[in-house]
Amino acid sequence: QVQLVESGGGLVQAGGSLRLSCAASGRTFSSYEMGWFRQAPGKEREFVARISWSGGSTYYADSVKGRFTISRDNAKNTVYLEMNSLKPEDTAVYYCAARRRGTVQYDYWGQGTQVTVSS
C-alpha cells in the first residue's frame, strides 16, 4: 500500500515557475514507477510525465516537453515536477500516481494540488 500526498501548487503568472512535490509513504517507494497527471475543469484527466523506479528513464506529454521536468529522490520517498514557462492552459489539478514496475495501470493516486496560471 502506498499513500501519496502532493504539495506545491498555487497561483502563478504566465511564464512563471512552480515545483510540485509528491511524498509517498511506505518502504518500497523505489519499487514503483511514478507519474504526474492533470485534470482541467471540464476536461478528462491527462498524462503529464512519468519516471522509472531508478529515475533513469523519463517520458513527457508533448504539451509539456521542454518546460516540465520530473525527478525523484528515493531516499526521501518523493517525486517532483518542476514546471517552467507556465501557460494558462497548464491550469489544472495535478495528481501524482504510482504503479508497480512492469505494470500498466497506476494503482495509487494522491488527492491532487491545484495549479492556476494567470494570463
Side-chain angles (χ1 to χ4, degrees):
Q1 192 81 358
V2 176
Q3 292 185 325
L4 305 172
V5 179
E6 303 97 334
S7 61
L11 173 64
V12 63
Q13 288 188 330
S17 299
L18 281 175
R19 188 175 83 154
L20 305 183
S21 300
C22 173
S25 65
R27 302 180 187 178
T28 59
F29 177 70
S30 61
S31 299
Y32 291 86
E33 297 181 345
M34 301 298 296
W36 285 96
F37 293 77
R38 67 187 181 186
Q39 187 167 20
K43 295 188 177 181
E44 294 190 352
R45 186 168 58 195
E46 66 174 359
F47 167 79
V48 174
R50 68 171 181 258
I51 187 166
S52 63
W53 65 274
S54 67
S57 176
T58 58
Y59 186 78
Y60 298 90
D62 287 343
S63 59
V64 307
K65 202 173 294 182
R67 300 188 298 121
F68 290 12
T69 303
I70 188 171
S71 62
R72 67 189 295 163
D73 184 339
N74 286 343
K76 294 183 178 180
N77 282 13
T78 302
V79 63
Y80 305 97
L81 185 68
E82 184 76 35
M83 305 185 294
N84 298 314
S85 302
L86 283 162
K87 305 175 181 179
E89 51 263 43
D90 294 317
T91 295
V93 177
Y94 283 71
Y95 300 90
C96 71
R99 68 182 183 187
R100 291 180 176 83
R101 271 189 261 175
T103 63
V104 175
Q105 185 172 343
Y106 285 86
D107 298 309
Y108 304 101
W109 294 83
Q111 83 290 348
T113 186
Q114 176 71 46
V115 171
T116 303
V117 184
S118 62
S119 56

